[in-house]
């Protein structure tokens, strides 16, 4: 038996959008269940995101600390951001986020993993990249505002992040998944065996 997610779409008899925000919305679907009954499912519609595990030559991961109002905490995170337009190349979006949030560029990019963050209530898909061969970006730093104006930055050894994740001290989804995926990739076939940066992404199709 091959353990692999598969596409499937149950019949929807009605759809409404009770809320539309700046970047996301809420959709209500009436979905036909296997027994023929109809159940209402409310979920957030999301454009998709990218995140970057930026690993330097000293085996440290670039992190930023940002206030997240829904959970009332400042969380250590990896650089991440939304896909700005439908069909946007996720690699280009990841490169933009690494530049804008950390003023860093990378010479080597790989796909680390792809995840659905909360598939029970949101259709957000995130592609997490591994970026290596890091260097300071040219030019002036990107001007930030709102929560991003209060960000802190650090480069933290990978083994310390693994310890923090398992100790329940670090909670950001992309950081946790990215750090543990990086560790798993190393112990499996190695980082050079990861998928190329332009690997297809069925959850958010794009043109190279």
């Amino acid at each position: 038996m091959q353990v692999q997610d598969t596409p499937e779409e149950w019949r929807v008899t009605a759809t409404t959008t009770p809320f539309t925000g700046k970047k996301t919305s809420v959709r209500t679907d009436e979905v036909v269940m296997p027994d023929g009954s109809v159940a209402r499912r409310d979920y957030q519609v999301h454009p998709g995101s990218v995140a970057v595990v930026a690993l330097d030559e000293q085996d440290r991961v670039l992190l930023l600390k940002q206030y997240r109002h829904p959970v009332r905490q400042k969380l250590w995170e990896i650089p991440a951001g939304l896909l700005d337009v439908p069909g946007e190349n996720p690699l280009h979006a990841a490169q933009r986020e690494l530049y804008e949030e950390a003023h860093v560029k990378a010479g080597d990019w790989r796909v680390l993993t792809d995840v659905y963050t909360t598939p029970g209530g949101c259709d957000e898909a995130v592609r997490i990249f591994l970026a290596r061969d890091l260097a300071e970006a040219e030019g002036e730093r990107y001007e930030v505002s709102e929560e991003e104006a209060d960000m802190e930055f650090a480069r933290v050894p990978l083994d310390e992040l693994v310890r923090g994740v398992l100790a329940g001290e670090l909670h950001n989804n992309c950081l946790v998944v990215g750090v543990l995926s990086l560790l798993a990739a190393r112990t499996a076939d190695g980082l050079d065996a990861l998928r190329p940066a332009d690997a297809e992404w069925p959850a958010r199709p794009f043109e190279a």
Side-chain angles (χ1 to χ4, degrees):
M1 172 178 146
Q2 185 176 14
V3 181
Q4 182 176 332
D5 298 336
T6 55
E8 185 167 343
E9 188 167 351
W10 293 0
R11 187 164 66 92
V12 174
T13 60
T15 297
T16 59
T17 304
F19 170 79
T20 300
K22 182 178 179 181
K23 293 288 186 178
T24 67
S25 61
V26 173
R27 182 176 295 165
T28 298
D29 288 345
E30 301 288 340
V31 186
V32 179
M33 299 289 109
D35 64 359
S37 64
V38 176
R40 175 176 292 180
R41 294 292 178 261
D42 303 313
Y43 59 99
Q44 182 184 22
V45 179
H46 194 284
S49 306
V50 292
V52 184
V53 176
L55 186 69
D56 70 14
E57 69 283 352
Q58 298 179 48
D59 212 38
R60 301 176 302 175
V61 177
L62 191 157
L63 299 183
L64 52 92
K65 195 174 190 181
Q66 184 172 352
Y67 177 65
R68 294 302 188 182
H69 187 70
V71 296
R72 308 302 198 271
Q73 291 192 32
K74 290 186 77 172
L75 302 180
W76 283 109
E77 305 178 354
I78 56 177
L82 300 175
L83 296 172
D84 282 349
V85 295
E88 181 178 14
N89 187 306
L91 173 59
H92 298 166
Q95 292 169 332
R96 178 186 66 238
E97 294 300 329
L98 186 60
Y99 163 74
E100 291 182 355
E101 294 192 343
H103 201 65
V104 167
K105 63 180 181 179
D108 184 85
W109 290 83
R110 311 281 173 133
V111 173
L112 192 52
T113 191
D114 300 321
V115 295
Y116 291 115
T117 54
T118 49
C122 179
D123 71 351
E124 181 183 15
V126 181
R127 169 156 282 188
I128 303 177
F129 289 90
L130 172 65
R132 294 180 290 175
D133 188 17
L134 306 183
E136 190 79 5
E138 296 87 359
E140 296 183 2
R141 293 188 68 95
Y142 181 80
E143 186 175 348
V144 296
S145 61
E146 299 176 342
E147 291 93 341
E148 293 183 349
D150 188 49
M151 287 193 303
E152 303 171 45
F153 297 89
R155 295 196 182 200
V156 182
L158 177 62
D159 57 359
E160 174 62 17
L161 292 179
V162 173
R163 186 207 63 77
V165 167
L166 298 180
E169 299 168 357
L170 300 168
H171 307 90
N172 175 264
N173 181 291
C174 290
L175 184 150
V176 171
V177 173
V179 163
L180 297 184
S181 294
L182 175 57
L183 183 66
R186 278 187 166 172
T187 58
D189 298 326
L191 301 185
D192 290 335
L194 289 168
R195 287 175 290 163
D198 61 353
E200 68 175 64
W201 188 17
R204 292 295 185 275
F206 65 94
E207 293 186 8

